[in-house]
Amino acid sequence: MPELPEVELTRRRLERDLAGRRIERVEVRTPKLRLPIPGELAIALPGRTIRSVERRGKYLLFDCEGGWLIIHLGMTGFLHFLPEPALPGKHDHLDIVFMGGPVLRFHDPRKFGTVLWTMADPLSHPLLARIGPEPLIAGFDGDYLFRMSRSRRVAVKLLIMNSEIVAGVGNIYANEALFRAGIRPDRPSSSLTLPECGRLAAAIREVLQESINQGSTFRVAEESAAYHPLDFAVYGRGRGSCSLCNGALEEIRLGNRSTVFCPRCQV
DNA sequence: AGAATTACCTGAGCGC
DNA sequence: TGCGCTCAGGTAATTC
């Protein structure tokens, strides 16, 4: 599923393919996603040129000259750029057709993705306004995490997956970052020390940045819908062994999400 | 305020 | 072969 690194790689790919293109028309094939696709899209977009593609957390922001198209890929969403028109297939919910024929196509089997439109500052949109700091930008560090964790007893894995605390950390990278930081995912947030918060913030930045770096060299060139460029240390390895101590990994559920950790290396 | 829970959705994998 | 079941999970909305 698209996590922050995949969304960032998608942003770079689409900015390369779309910047400067003028929209001819919009075809909404499936208006009923989990949140409905705004009806005004088809009226507002034609005639506008895409200036750039930005990212906030896992939201992609398309600068459309005075308005913003906002897309979240959810669990299974994918944005294809088609140089030529092509017949839509199953789960191809939305086409944005550009002058001369190219198409941006939104494909999403589980329909957890979200499409929004705003004429105002996209960062002020109700669904984006409360998102916490970007993990890869100054402002997210151990001091910040320490401050935010003082009044909360929720498991630290759920704390860092809370988008109001930090943007774009999903289940995969929450597991990976906690392993790298040597912190048990079920620790109450308020039990973390300042040095632990420093290690955790650094680990979050590292796993995200490394994934972006690997993806950019490996996967993005292929027009593949595949995600997950990284080999993960713990995610998806509930029956496996720890790469550090060789002991058995443990799998539990936190917030109804699968959680894997090493009970010896993570304290 | 913070925490816990539910809803949304379909493909994949499984046992029978 | 096919049925029914469980699982995967981001995030908004709801409830406690």
mmCIF file of all heavy atoms in Angstrom, chain C:
data_model
loop_
_atom_site.group_PDB
_atom_site.id
_atom_site.type_symbol
_atom_site.label_atom_id
_atom_site.label_comp_id
_atom_site.label_asym_id
_atom_site.label_seq_id
_atom_site.Cartn_x
_atom_site.Cartn_y
_atom_site.Cartn_z
ATOM 1 P P DT C 1 -11.050 -26.011 -12.034
ATOM 2 O OP1 DT C 1 -11.183 -25.789 -13.458
ATOM 3 O OP2 DT C 1 -10.094 -25.295 -11.223
ATOM 4 O "O5'" DT C 1 -12.474 -25.900 -11.333
ATOM 5 C "C5'" DT C 1 -13.617 -26.452 -11.948
ATOM 6 C "C4'" DT C 1 -14.747 -26.091 -11.051
ATOM 7 O "O4'" DT C 1 -14.573 -26.757 -9.774
ATOM 8 C "C3'" DT C 1 -14.839 -24.591 -10.737
ATOM 9 O "O3'" DT C 1 -16.205 -24.215 -10.874
ATOM 10 C "C2'" DT C 1 -14.338 -24.460 -9.307
ATOM 11 C "C1'" DT C 1 -14.687 -25.822 -8.721
ATOM 12 N N1 DT C 1 -13.762 -26.270 -7.625
ATOM 13 C C2 DT C 1 -14.302 -26.726 -6.466
ATOM 14 O O2 DT C 1 -15.496 -26.783 -6.278
ATOM 15 N N3 DT C 1 -13.392 -27.126 -5.529
ATOM 16 C C4 DT C 1 -12.011 -27.126 -5.641
ATOM 17 O O4 DT C 1 -11.305 -27.516 -4.727
ATOM 18 C C5 DT C 1 -11.500 -26.643 -6.885
ATOM 19 C C7 DT C 1 -10.029 -26.581 -7.114
ATOM 20 C C6 DT C 1 -12.376 -26.235 -7.810
ATOM 21 P P DG C 2 -16.660 -22.730 -10.787
ATOM 22 O OP1 DG C 2 -17.822 -22.570 -11.679
ATOM 23 O OP2 DG C 2 -15.469 -21.884 -10.943
ATOM 24 O "O5'" DG C 2 -17.170 -22.613 -9.283
ATOM 25 C "C5'" DG C 2 -18.089 -23.559 -8.795
ATOM 26 C "C4'" DG C 2 -18.267 -23.354 -7.316
ATOM 27 O "O4'" DG C 2 -17.149 -23.966 -6.603
ATOM 28 C "C3'" DG C 2 -18.269 -21.886 -6.888
ATOM 29 O "O3'" DG C 2 -19.267 -21.712 -5.903
ATOM 30 C "C2'" DG C 2 -16.884 -21.687 -6.286
ATOM 31 C "C1'" DG C 2 -16.699 -23.035 -5.633
ATOM 32 N N9 DG C 2 -15.323 -23.374 -5.282
ATOM 33 C C8 DG C 2 -14.185 -23.138 -6.020
ATOM 34 N N7 DG C 2 -13.095 -23.562 -5.432
ATOM 35 C C5 DG C 2 -13.543 -24.097 -4.230
ATOM 36 C C6 DG C 2 -12.825 -24.686 -3.166
ATOM 37 O O6 DG C 2 -11.614 -24.885 -3.074
ATOM 38 N N1 DG C 2 -13.681 -25.093 -2.135
ATOM 39 C C2 DG C 2 -15.033 -24.937 -2.125
ATOM 40 N N2 DG C 2 -15.674 -25.380 -1.052
ATOM 41 N N3 DG C 2 -15.708 -24.373 -3.118
ATOM 42 C C4 DG C 2 -14.910 -23.978 -4.130
ATOM 43 P P DC C 3 -20.151 -20.444 -5.876
ATOM 44 O OP1 DC C 3 -21.304 -20.642 -6.767
ATOM 45 O OP2 DC C 3 -19.242 -19.296 -6.084
ATOM 46 O "O5'" DC C 3 -20.644 -20.435 -4.378
ATOM 47 C "C5'" DC C 3 -21.039 -21.650 -3.750
ATOM 48 C "C4'" DC C 3 -20.460 -21.715 -2.364
ATOM 49 O "O4'" DC C 3 -19.054 -22.042 -2.448
ATOM 50 C "C3'" DC C 3 -20.537 -20.392 -1.602
ATOM 51 O "O3'" DC C 3 -21.491 -20.511 -0.563
ATOM 52 C "C2'" DC C 3 -19.119 -20.156 -1.064
ATOM 53 C "C1'" DC C 3 -18.418 -21.473 -1.321
ATOM 54 N N1 DC C 3 -16.977 -21.332 -1.650
ATOM 55 C C2 DC C 3 -16.008 -21.837 -0.759
ATOM 56 O O2 DC C 3 -16.383 -22.363 0.291
ATOM 57 N N3 DC C 3 -14.686 -21.720 -1.069
ATOM 58 C C4 DC C 3 -14.328 -21.144 -2.213
ATOM 59 N N4 DC C 3 -13.026 -21.069 -2.482
ATOM 60 C C5 DC C 3 -15.290 -20.630 -3.132
ATOM 61 C C6 DC C 3 -16.591 -20.735 -2.817
ATOM 62 P P DG C 4 -22.048 -19.197 0.116
ATOM 63 O OP1 DG C 4 -23.434 -19.488 0.534
ATOM 64 O OP2 DG C 4 -21.739 -18.063 -0.755
ATOM 65 O "O5'" DG C 4 -21.141 -19.072 1.425
ATOM 66 C "C5'" DG C 4 -21.068 -20.171 2.328
ATOM 67 C "C4'" DG C 4 -19.903 -19.968 3.271
ATOM 68 O "O4'" DG C 4 -18.653 -20.072 2.533
ATOM 69 C "C3'" DG C 4 -19.871 -18.592 3.951
ATOM 70 O "O3'" DG C 4 -19.614 -18.782 5.323
ATOM 71 C "C2'" DG C 4 -18.720 -17.858 3.256
ATOM 72 C "C1'" DG C 4 -17.799 -19.015 2.921
ATOM 73 N N9 DG C 4 -16.874 -18.761 1.829
ATOM 74 C C8 DG C 4 -17.152 -18.183 0.618
ATOM 75 N N7 DG C 4 -16.099 -18.103 -0.171
ATOM 76 C C5 DG C 4 -15.076 -18.656 0.579
ATOM 77 C C6 DG C 4 -13.709 -18.829 0.258
ATOM 78 O O6 DG C 4 -13.122 -18.541 -0.791
ATOM 79 N N1 DG C 4 -13.012 -19.429 1.315
ATOM 80 C C2 DG C 4 -13.567 -19.800 2.505
ATOM 81 N N2 DG C 4 -12.749 -20.354 3.389
ATOM 82 N N3 DG C 4 -14.847 -19.633 2.811
ATOM 83 C C4 DG C 4 -15.529 -19.054 1.813
ATOM 84 P P DC C 5 -19.951 -17.611 6.356
ATOM 85 O OP1 DC C 5 -20.769 -18.216 7.417
ATOM 86 O OP2 DC C 5 -20.428 -16.418 5.623
ATOM 87 O "O5'" DC C 5 -18.508 -17.273 6.953
ATOM 88 C "C5'" DC C 5 -17.758 -18.328 7.571
ATOM 89 C "C4'" DC C 5 -16.283 -18.023 7.462
ATOM 90 O "O4'" DC C 5 -15.891 -18.017 6.075
ATOM 91 C "C3'" DC C 5 -15.880 -16.642 7.983
ATOM 92 O "O3'" DC C 5 -15.431 -16.758 9.326
ATOM 93 C "C2'" DC C 5 -14.745 -16.202 7.051
ATOM 94 C "C1'" DC C 5 -14.681 -17.285 5.994
ATOM 95 N N1 DC C 5 -14.536 -16.739 4.614
ATOM 96 C C2 DC C 5 -13.273 -16.748 4.030
ATOM 97 O O2 DC C 5 -12.320 -17.208 4.673
ATOM 98 N N3 DC C 5 -13.127 -16.252 2.784
ATOM 99 C C4 DC C 5 -14.183 -15.771 2.127
ATOM 100 N N4 DC C 5 -13.993 -15.308 0.896
ATOM 101 C C5 DC C 5 -15.476 -15.754 2.709
ATOM 102 C C6 DC C 5 -15.608 -16.238 3.948
ATOM 103 P P DT C 6 -15.086 -15.414 10.129
ATOM 104 O OP1 DT C 6 -15.097 -15.739 11.565
ATOM 105 O OP2 DT C 6 -15.927 -14.320 9.588
ATOM 106 O "O5'" DT C 6 -13.573 -15.135 9.687
ATOM 107 C "C5'" DT C 6 -12.593 -16.152 9.845
ATOM 108 C "C4'" DT C 6 -11.250 -15.619 9.366
ATOM 109 O "O4'" DT C 6 -11.277 -15.473 7.928
ATOM 110 C "C3'" DT C 6 -10.876 -14.245 9.935
ATOM 111 O "O3'" DT C 6 -9.542 -14.279 10.412
ATOM 112 C "C2'" DT C 6 -11.035 -13.295 8.753
ATOM 113 C "C1'" DT C 6 -10.769 -14.203 7.567
ATOM 114 N N1 DT C 6 -11.449 -13.794 6.320
ATOM 115 C C2 DT C 6 -10.718 -13.731 5.149
ATOM 116 O O2 DT C 6 -9.532 -13.988 5.097
ATOM 117 N N3 DT C 6 -11.433 -13.357 4.041
ATOM 118 C C4 DT C 6 -12.781 -13.058 3.983
ATOM 119 O O4 DT C 6 -13.311 -12.736 2.927
ATOM 120 C C5 DT C 6 -13.486 -13.139 5.234
ATOM 121 C C7 DT C 6 -14.953 -12.811 5.289
ATOM 122 C C6 DT C 6 -12.796 -13.502 6.330
ATOM 123 P P DC C 7 -9.010 -13.066 11.289
ATOM 124 O OP1 DC C 7 -8.197 -13.641 12.368
ATOM 125 O OP2 DC C 7 -10.141 -12.146 11.576
ATOM 126 O "O5'" DC C 7 -8.038 -12.326 10.267
ATOM 127 C "C5'" DC C 7 -7.041 -13.073 9.594
ATOM 128 C "C4'" DC C 7 -6.500 -12.245 8.457
ATOM 129 O "O4'" DC C 7 -7.490 -12.148 7.423
ATOM 130 C "C3'" DC C 7 -6.147 -10.808 8.857
ATOM 131 O "O3'" DC C 7 -4.747 -10.641 8.758
ATOM 132 C "C2'" DC C 7 -6.914 -9.930 7.861
ATOM 133 C "C1'" DC C 7 -7.353 -10.902 6.786
ATOM 134 N N1 DC C 7 -8.673 -10.580 6.166
ATOM 135 C C2 DC C 7 -8.758 -10.400 4.784
ATOM 136 O O2 DC C 7 -7.742 -10.515 4.100
ATOM 137 N N3 DC C 7 -9.961 -10.130 4.231
ATOM 138 C C4 DC C 7 -11.049 -10.033 5.005
ATOM 139 N N4 DC C 7 -12.207 -9.765 4.410
ATOM 140 C C5 DC C 7 -10.975 -10.203 6.410
ATOM 141 C C6 DC C 7 -9.775 -10.475 6.951
ATOM 142 P P DA C 8 -4.054 -9.418 9.483
ATOM 143 O OP1 DA C 8 -2.740 -9.906 9.942
ATOM 144 O OP2 DA C 8 -5.007 -8.824 10.437
ATOM 145 O "O5'" DA C 8 -3.841 -8.366 8.308
ATOM 146 C "C5'" DA C 8 -3.086 -8.746 7.176
ATOM 147 C "C4'" DA C 8 -3.281 -7.709 6.109
ATOM 148 O "O4'" DA C 8 -4.548 -7.921 5.477
ATOM 149 C "C3'" DA C 8 -3.363 -6.290 6.664
ATOM 150 O "O3'" DA C 8 -2.064 -5.715 6.665
ATOM 151 C "C2'" DA C 8 -4.274 -5.575 5.667
ATOM 152 C "C1'" DA C 8 -5.044 -6.697 4.983
ATOM 153 N N9 DA C 8 -6.479 -6.695 5.253
ATOM 154 C C8 DA C 8 -7.109 -6.685 6.470
ATOM 155 N N7 DA C 8 -8.414 -6.703 6.386
ATOM 156 C C5 DA C 8 -8.663 -6.716 5.026
ATOM 157 C C6 DA C 8 -9.855 -6.736 4.273
ATOM 158 N N6 DA C 8 -11.076 -6.745 4.823
ATOM 159 N N1 DA C 8 -9.747 -6.741 2.930
ATOM 160 C C2 DA C 8 -8.527 -6.734 2.375
ATOM 161 N N3 DA C 8 -7.341 -6.723 2.972
ATOM 162 C C4 DA C 8 -7.487 -6.712 4.312
ATOM 163 P P DG C 9 -1.613 -4.833 7.842
ATOM 164 O OP1 DG C 9 -0.161 -4.687 7.677
ATOM 165 O OP2 DG C 9 -2.198 -5.354 9.091
ATOM 166 O "O5'" DG C 9 -2.302 -3.438 7.520
ATOM 167 C "C5'" DG C 9 -1.945 -2.735 6.339
ATOM 168 C "C4'" DG C 9 -2.975 -1.672 6.077
ATOM 169 O "O4'" DG C 9 -4.255 -2.278 5.910
ATOM 170 C "C3'" DG C 9 -3.126 -0.660 7.251
ATOM 171 O "O3'" DG C 9 -3.169 0.653 6.726
ATOM 172 C "C2'" DG C 9 -4.470 -1.015 7.840
ATOM 173 C "C1'" DG C 9 -5.193 -1.484 6.600
ATOM 174 N N9 DG C 9 -6.434 -2.214 6.840
ATOM 175 C C8 DG C 9 -6.868 -2.736 8.025
ATOM 176 N N7 DG C 9 -8.054 -3.271 7.947
ATOM 177 C C5 DG C 9 -8.428 -3.107 6.617
ATOM 178 C C6 DG C 9 -9.603 -3.471 5.928
ATOM 179 O O6 DG C 9 -10.590 -4.035 6.378
ATOM 180 N N1 DG C 9 -9.553 -3.119 4.592
ATOM 181 C C2 DG C 9 -8.505 -2.483 3.989
ATOM 182 N N2 DG C 9 -8.627 -2.230 2.688
ATOM 183 N N3 DG C 9 -7.395 -2.132 4.618
ATOM 184 C C4 DG C 9 -7.423 -2.460 5.920
ATOM 185 P P DG C 10 -2.023 1.667 7.138
ATOM 186 O OP1 DG C 10 -0.882 1.372 6.285
ATOM 187 O OP2 DG C 10 -1.866 1.740 8.590
ATOM 188 O "O5'" DG C 10 -2.696 3.026 6.654
ATOM 189 C "C5'" DG C 10 -2.761 3.329 5.272
ATOM 190 C "C4'" DG C 10 -3.606 4.571 5.070
ATOM 191 O "O4'" DG C 10 -5.004 4.213 5.103
ATOM 192 C "C3'" DG C 10 -3.438 5.648 6.120
ATOM 193 O "O3'" DG C 10 -3.618 6.902 5.471
ATOM 194 C "C2'" DG C 10 -4.534 5.361 7.132
ATOM 195 C "C1'" DG C 10 -5.635 4.743 6.267
ATOM 196 N N9 DG C 10 -6.329 3.600 6.874
ATOM 197 C C8 DG C 10 -5.787 2.620 7.659
ATOM 198 N N7 DG C 10 -6.657 1.708 8.006
ATOM 199 C C5 DG C 10 -7.840 2.106 7.409
ATOM 200 C C6 DG C 10 -9.122 1.520 7.425
ATOM 201 O O6 DG C 10 -9.479 0.483 7.986
ATOM 202 N N1 DG C 10 -10.051 2.246 6.690
ATOM 203 C C2 DG C 10 -9.750 3.418 6.015
ATOM 204 N N2 DG C 10 -10.760 3.980 5.358
ATOM 205 N N3 DG C 10 -8.567 3.974 5.988
ATOM 206 C C4 DG C 10 -7.661 3.280 6.708
ATOM 207 P P DT C 11 -3.540 8.236 6.252
ATOM 208 O OP1 DT C 11 -3.204 9.258 5.248
ATOM 209 O OP2 DT C 11 -2.701 8.044 7.443
ATOM 210 O "O5'" DT C 11 -5.028 8.497 6.735
ATOM 211 C "C5'" DT C 11 -6.020 8.766 5.771
ATOM 212 C "C4'" DT C 11 -7.356 8.803 6.431
ATOM 213 O "O4'" DT C 11 -7.727 7.485 6.902
ATOM 214 C "C3'" DT C 11 -7.439 9.716 7.677
ATOM 215 O "O3'" DT C 11 -8.644 10.406 7.554
ATOM 216 C "C2'" DT C 11 -7.536 8.731 8.819
ATOM 217 C "C1'" DT C 11 -8.388 7.682 8.128
ATOM 218 N N1 DT C 11 -8.493 6.396 8.828
ATOM 219 C C2 DT C 11 -9.694 5.718 8.749
ATOM 220 O O2 DT C 11 -10.650 6.151 8.139
ATOM 221 N N3 DT C 11 -9.738 4.525 9.430
ATOM 222 C C4 DT C 11 -8.720 3.956 10.158
ATOM 223 O O4 DT C 11 -8.877 2.883 10.713
ATOM 224 C C5 DT C 11 -7.492 4.706 10.191
ATOM 225 C C7 DT C 11 -6.321 4.161 10.949
ATOM 226 C C6 DT C 11 -7.442 5.878 9.532
ATOM 227 P P DA C 12 -8.681 11.938 7.746
ATOM 228 O OP1 DA C 12 -8.053 12.537 6.568
ATOM 229 O OP2 DA C 12 -8.237 12.317 9.096
ATOM 230 O "O5'" DA C 12 -10.260 12.165 7.644
ATOM 231 C "C5'" DA C 12 -10.970 11.518 6.595
ATOM 232 C "C4'" DA C 12 -12.330 11.089 7.095
ATOM 233 O "O4'" DA C 12 -12.246 9.831 7.802
ATOM 234 C "C3'" DA C 12 -13.002 12.062 8.052
ATOM 235 O "O3'" DA C 12 -14.359 12.149 7.674
ATOM 236 C "C2'" DA C 12 -12.812 11.433 9.432
ATOM 237 C "C1'" DA C 12 -12.825 9.948 9.088
ATOM 238 N N9 DA C 12 -12.045 9.092 9.979
ATOM 239 C C8 DA C 12 -10.765 9.288 10.426
ATOM 240 N N7 DA C 12 -10.316 8.325 11.198
ATOM 241 C C5 DA C 12 -11.375 7.432 11.259
ATOM 242 C C6 DA C 12 -11.540 6.187 11.913
ATOM 243 N N6 DA C 12 -10.603 5.619 12.660
ATOM 244 N N1 DA C 12 -12.718 5.564 11.768
ATOM 245 C C2 DA C 12 -13.660 6.133 11.005
ATOM 246 N N3 DA C 12 -13.620 7.283 10.345
ATOM 247 C C4 DA C 12 -12.445 7.886 10.513
ATOM 248 P P DA C 13 -15.325 13.192 8.357
ATOM 249 O OP1 DA C 13 -16.247 13.648 7.310
ATOM 250 O OP2 DA C 13 -14.522 14.152 9.139
ATOM 251 O "O5'" DA C 13 -16.140 12.270 9.363
ATOM 252 C "C5'" DA C 13 -16.779 11.110 8.868
ATOM 253 C "C4'" DA C 13 -17.344 10.335 10.031
ATOM 254 O "O4'" DA C 13 -16.286 9.619 10.703
ATOM 255 C "C3'" DA C 13 -18.040 11.201 11.087
ATOM 256 O "O3'" DA C 13 -19.355 10.709 11.259
ATOM 257 C "C2'" DA C 13 -17.162 11.045 12.338
ATOM 258 C "C1'" DA C 13 -16.498 9.696 12.094
ATOM 259 N N9 DA C 13 -15.182 9.543 12.714
ATOM 260 C C8 DA C 13 -14.137 10.427 12.687
ATOM 261 N N7 DA C 13 -13.071 10.001 13.334
ATOM 262 C C5 DA C 13 -13.448 8.757 13.807
ATOM 263 C C6 DA C 13 -12.761 7.785 14.567
ATOM 264 N N6 DA C 13 -11.506 7.929 14.997
ATOM 265 N N1 DA C 13 -13.423 6.644 14.867
ATOM 266 C C2 DA C 13 -14.677 6.504 14.437
ATOM 267 N N3 DA C 13 -15.424 7.344 13.722
ATOM 268 C C4 DA C 13 -14.740 8.457 13.434
ATOM 269 P P DT C 14 -20.368 11.385 12.277
ATOM 270 O OP1 DT C 14 -21.687 11.290 11.644
ATOM 271 O OP2 DT C 14 -19.794 12.677 12.705
ATOM 272 O "O5'" DT C 14 -20.347 10.405 13.534
ATOM 273 C "C5'" DT C 14 -20.433 9.002 13.317
ATOM 274 C "C4'" DT C 14 -20.142 8.266 14.611
ATOM 275 O "O4'" DT C 14 -18.713 8.280 14.857
ATOM 276 C "C3'" DT C 14 -20.794 8.888 15.848
ATOM 277 O "O3'" DT C 14 -21.649 7.925 16.430
ATOM 278 C "C2'" DT C 14 -19.616 9.262 16.758
ATOM 279 C "C1'" DT C 14 -18.522 8.351 16.255
ATOM 280 N N1 DT C 14 -17.136 8.860 16.487
ATOM 281 C C2 DT C 14 -16.243 8.049 17.157
ATOM 282 O O2 DT C 14 -16.539 6.945 17.575
ATOM 283 N N3 DT C 14 -14.995 8.584 17.323
ATOM 284 C C4 DT C 14 -14.560 9.812 16.897
ATOM 285 O O4 DT C 14 -13.399 10.190 17.099
ATOM 286 C C5 DT C 14 -15.547 10.613 16.201
ATOM 287 C C7 DT C 14 -15.161 11.970 15.688
ATOM 288 C C6 DT C 14 -16.778 10.101 16.032
ATOM 289 P P DT C 15 -22.603 8.311 17.652
ATOM 290 O OP1 DT C 15 -23.857 7.604 17.431
ATOM 291 O OP2 DT C 15 -22.561 9.781 17.833
ATOM 292 O "O5'" DT C 15 -21.839 7.645 18.888
ATOM 293 C "C5'" DT C 15 -21.423 6.287 18.807
ATOM 294 C "C4'" DT C 15 -20.507 5.989 19.970
ATOM 295 O "O4'" DT C 15 -19.233 6.661 19.751
ATOM 296 C "C3'" DT C 15 -21.020 6.480 21.329
ATOM 297 O "O3'" DT C 15 -21.140 5.362 22.197
ATOM 298 C "C2'" DT C 15 -19.970 7.477 21.809
ATOM 299 C "C1'" DT C 15 -18.747 7.101 21.001
ATOM 300 N N1 DT C 15 -17.806 8.211 20.733
ATOM 301 C C2 DT C 15 -16.481 8.056 21.094
ATOM 302 O O2 DT C 15 -16.067 7.058 21.643
ATOM 303 N N3 DT C 15 -15.667 9.115 20.805
ATOM 304 C C4 DT C 15 -16.037 10.298 20.181
ATOM 305 O O4 DT C 15 -15.215 11.187 19.971
ATOM 306 C C5 DT C 15 -17.429 10.394 19.821
ATOM 307 C C7 DT C 15 -17.933 11.638 19.158
ATOM 308 C C6 DT C 15 -18.229 9.366 20.110
ATOM 309 P P DC C 16 -21.738 5.508 23.639
ATOM 310 O OP1 DC C 16 -22.493 4.276 23.889
ATOM 311 O OP2 DC C 16 -22.373 6.833 23.780
ATOM 312 O "O5'" DC C 16 -20.442 5.482 24.560
ATOM 313 C "C5'" DC C 16 -19.500 4.424 24.399
ATOM 314 C "C4'" DC C 16 -18.239 4.741 25.197
ATOM 315 O "O4'" DC C 16 -17.565 5.840 24.575
ATOM 316 C "C3'" DC C 16 -18.540 5.165 26.652
ATOM 317 O "O3'" DC C 16 -17.741 4.389 27.517
ATOM 318 C "C2'" DC C 16 -18.118 6.652 26.682
ATOM 319 C "C1'" DC C 16 -17.072 6.705 25.586
ATOM 320 N N1 DC C 16 -16.868 8.045 24.980
ATOM 321 C C2 DC C 16 -15.584 8.613 24.956
ATOM 322 O O2 DC C 16 -14.651 7.973 25.444
ATOM 323 N N3 DC C 16 -15.406 9.841 24.394
ATOM 324 C C4 DC C 16 -16.442 10.468 23.867
ATOM 325 N N4 DC C 16 -16.198 11.663 23.328
ATOM 326 C C5 DC C 16 -17.743 9.926 23.886
ATOM 327 C C6 DC C 16 -17.928 8.725 24.447
#
